[in-house]
Amino acid sequence: KPERTSAPLGDEQCLPAGESLLSDDEFASVHDDFEVRVETTLAGCVSAPPTRQVTRERTISIEGPSREPSDPVAPKSEALERLKGLRGLENVKRIANSLLAHAIASFRMPDASRVDPVLNFAFMGNPGTGKTTVAREFGVMLHELGLRANNKFVETTGSKLLETDPKDIPDLLDSAMGGVLFIDEAHNLDPAKDAKGKPAVTQILIEAAENKRTELTIMIAGYKDEIEKKLYGFDVGLKSRFRDVE
């Protein structure tokens, strides 16, 4: 074989102006493959991105579904942007962003591969910290991201639930179906001390948080210490069904 020689790179070895190592079709193929991989990684999708092989003549799809231009737009939320604009509340923003990531990932997954996240929340903090405002924005966000069927936001309080006949609680749950049931000052339920609070919390509320978790979001709000002592302390099953937002 003839011996190869190397020479310093000179002007004569450079491509003429306006020319490229890749044809237009090859460049488009590489660019398309890069976009697919970036979008799939950001979405956290568990399925492997399409693998493509570039030849001089054309792009060949080896395996994996391709993203067609006609695919619907990925989920977005104006409520999420409003939450991001609030001062502080870093934990609130972190959880909100995680819900967005989940929504985008689910959007790109087959139905059989989707996993339902915990969408029941406990907003805990002192008076005047905006728990109710944040909860309402969460309700809107869940609907905008496609995680809930509608933007219903039915509000009640722990004190009102104590005065409600347990037989009427299912009707209250049904009125919020597809959206959110928000229980403010939930620590007032205090089921360990009030016989009326016990069935409403342990039998109906907890069962709904589990059995209706794909159709209904239950949000509770109150003082952190009180919720942990009076609700979580009364039944550990309640804590496992809610995601704390502080």
Side-chain angles (χ1 to χ4, degrees):
K1 297 182 180 180
E3 182 178 356
R4 293 185 177 180
T5 59
S6 60
L9 184 64
D11 292 340
E12 69 277 9
Q13 292 177 281
C14 296
L15 291 173
E19 293 190 14
S20 170
L21 289 172
L22 299 176
S23 68
D24 291 342
D25 289 341
E26 290 169 345
F27 179 84
S29 171
V30 172
H31 182 269
D32 179 66
D33 181 64
F34 174 79
E35 285 192 324
V36 169
R37 291 174 185 274
V38 169
E39 289 174 356
T40 303
T41 301
L42 291 178
C45 183
V46 298
S47 59
T51 303
R52 299 175 183 270
Q53 180 183 47
V54 179
T55 68
R56 293 184 179 180
E57 295 77 23
R58 58 179 178 172
T59 300
I60 303 175
S61 294
I62 304 300
E63 59 183 359
S66 61
R67 184 173 182 269
E68 299 297 334
S70 59
D71 284 351
V73 178
K76 296 180 181 179
S77 171
E78 294 182 3
L80 173 59
E81 296 305 315
R82 289 193 293 270
L83 286 170
K84 289 181 179 179
L86 298 176
R87 295 182 60 183
L89 304 177
E90 297 306 319
N91 187 45
V92 170
K93 296 173 184 178
R94 179 181 60 79
I95 293 175
N97 281 324
S98 73
L99 292 172
L100 172 64
H102 174 85
I104 293 176
S106 296
F107 171 80
R108 304 203 182 276
M109 289 180 185
D111 290 344
S113 300
R114 295 176 184 174
V115 178
D116 296 323
V118 175
L119 294 179
N120 299 312
F121 302 95
F123 295 89
M124 300 189 288
N126 295 323
T129 54
K131 297 185 294 296
T132 301
T133 298
V134 171
R136 288 172 180 158
E137 292 289 16
F138 260 65
V140 175
M141 178 182 65
L142 292 176
H143 174 55
E144 291 177 337
L145 294 179
L147 299 175
R148 281 294 173 257
N150 57 56
N151 59 0
K152 289 181 181 178
F153 194 87
V154 177
E155 298 187 41
T156 187
T157 66
S159 298
K160 288 181 180 179
L161 287 179
L162 286 178
E163 299 171 358
T164 302
D165 189 319
K167 295 180 181 179
D168 295 331
I169 300 298
D171 291 337
L172 178 65
L173 295 171
D174 289 341
S175 70
M177 200 61 62
V180 174
L181 172 65
F182 177 68
I183 306 172
D184 199 8
E185 299 179 343
H187 52 270
N188 287 335
L189 287 166
D190 199 3
K193 293 183 178 180
D194 193 297
K196 291 186 293 184
K198 182 175 180 179
V201 173
T202 62
Q203 296 176 16
I204 303 174
L205 187 59
I206 294 178
E207 288 178 6
E210 174 62 25
N211 298 334
K212 299 182 184 298
R213 66 184 184 277
T214 62
E215 309 168 84
L216 174 68
T217 286
I218 298 177
M219 297 182 182
I220 60 177
Y223 308 144
K224 177 179 172 64
D225 292 344
E226 296 285 284
I227 286 181
E228 291 181 342
K229 177 182 178 181
K230 295 179 179 179
L231 297 182
Y232 293 169
F234 178 76
D235 192 308
V236 294
L238 189 62
K239 182 175 179 62
S240 66
R241 289 165 174 79
F242 283 80
R243 188 170 183 179
D244 294 345
V245 183
E246 303 178 40

